[in-house]
Amino acid sequence: MGHVPEIVKYVAVGAALVGFALVTILGVKETPLPEKPPKIDWALYLHSLWINPRLYPDFAWVWVTRALVMLGFYSVLPFVNYYFVDVIGIEKPDGPASMMTGLLLISSCVSGIYGGMISDRIGRKRVVYIANVMIAIVALSFIFCRSIPQVLLAGSIFGLGYGAYISVDWALGTDVLPNKKSAGKEMGVWHIAMTLPQTIAAPFAGDLILRFGKTPYMSPDGPSVHYTINGYAAVFGLCAICFALGAYFLKNVKSVR
């Protein structure tokens, strides 16, 4: 098969998004409200999202630990392709990067199922301790990988730890909700611990890589640059620290074993 133009790929993705949106719009039947809802008081609404960490410290600590883990994860994820080019020496990284992502997802699905089951027996926190320490060690191992098989092996082990963490993390989040009657709102506040780090991790990690320098070179697609191994080592080190802190601070959660 020949090379598929980029425009075709984007059109296909856009068509899929529009198609599934139409399925939702046309297929989901809603019941109209019997009366017009009151006007939103935005100040009151924003105030309702505040969950006092002094009154609910367990919720606050679970929020912090999740934010740290996601900060570490999303510091690395956007730079996987560049890592393959600059560290492993692959000119066309899309294939190996996709393969590693696929293996990571498969292994995380497996550990996600069994991680939750194990946490019911030995406790949530213990599974998170083991999973986060495993991921922290594997994150550091990426610094020393120099071939595709080594990276794929590290990625698979990373996925095992990440899947176990994610499955138990959701359980932890529900265990420490301050008020079960407003669980929807509070789960939304808790989920900010995942979305907020995504917005700040990549720019920070990219700047960190850049600070360690770059080397110009001529790629098949034209002039480009290589970033140094030290830059990636700094980012993987940051990732490991975030995961380790995510495990360490979990000790402050008292209501969940």
Side-chain angles (χ1 to χ4, degrees):
M1 295 181 63
H3 177 70
V4 179
E6 292 295 324
I7 186 64
V8 175
K9 298 178 183 177
Y10 286 114
V11 170
V13 171
L17 292 173
V18 172
F20 285 111
L22 289 174
V23 170
T24 302
I25 293 171
L26 301 177
V28 177
K29 303 302 179 182
E30 296 182 281
T31 302
L33 293 174
E35 57 186 27
K36 186 177 180 180
K39 189 176 181 180
I40 297 177
D41 184 334
W42 287 104
L44 184 63
Y45 169 73
L46 292 175
H47 183 267
S48 72
L49 298 178
W50 172 249
I51 299 175
N52 194 325
R54 292 185 177 181
L55 296 178
Y56 306 103
D58 283 356
F59 180 86
W61 281 115
V62 171
W63 195 100
V64 168
T65 58
R66 187 184 215 217
L68 283 167
V69 169
M70 294 304 153
L71 183 64
F73 184 73
Y74 287 102
S75 293
V76 170
L77 187 62
F79 303 100
V80 170
N81 280 34
Y82 304 104
Y83 167 81
F84 272 101
V85 173
D86 296 332
V87 178
I88 308 302
I90 306 298
E91 290 186 356
K92 300 292 185 181
D94 291 352
S98 299
M99 190 181 302
M100 189 191 78
T101 303
L103 288 173
L104 191 152
L105 289 174
I106 292 171
S107 60
S108 64
C109 287
V110 173
S111 61
I113 295 172
Y114 291 102
M117 295 169 60
I118 294 171
S119 75
D120 290 334
R121 297 180 181 179
I122 68 173
R124 315 284 194 215
K125 292 162 67 174
R126 193 172 299 177
V127 173
V128 173
Y129 292 149
I130 296 171
N132 281 21
V133 170
M134 177 191 300
I135 299 171
I137 293 172
V138 175
L140 293 176
S141 76
F142 279 106
I143 301 171
F144 305 99
C145 291
R146 293 296 181 271
S147 67
I148 293 178
Q150 292 174 352
V151 175
L152 296 181
L153 175 61
S156 299
I157 300 173
F158 188 101
L160 288 173
Y162 187 72
Y165 168 79
I166 284 293
S167 66
V168 177
D169 180 53
W170 279 92
L172 268 174
T174 57
D175 287 343
V176 299
L177 290 179
N179 187 349
K180 305 298 182 183
K181 293 182 179 180
S182 57
K185 179 202 74 175
E186 290 168 359
M187 286 296 286
V189 174
W190 174 73
H191 196 59
I192 294 173
M194 172 178 274
T195 56
L196 181 61
Q198 293 181 41
T199 65
I200 62 177
F204 180 81
D207 181 69
L208 186 60
I209 292 174
L210 185 60
R211 287 178 181 275
F212 284 85
K214 57 186 178 181
T215 304
Y217 81 104
M218 183 62 67
S219 73
D221 299 323
S224 187
V225 295
H226 276 310
Y227 295 96
T228 67
I229 295 175
N230 290 337
Y232 290 95
V235 170
F236 282 114
L238 171 66
C239 176
I241 291 172
C242 287
F243 274 100
L245 288 176
Y248 176 76
F249 287 129
L250 195 63
K251 69 182 180 64
N252 296 310
V253 177
K254 306 300 183 183
S255 63
V256 180
R257 67 186 183 92

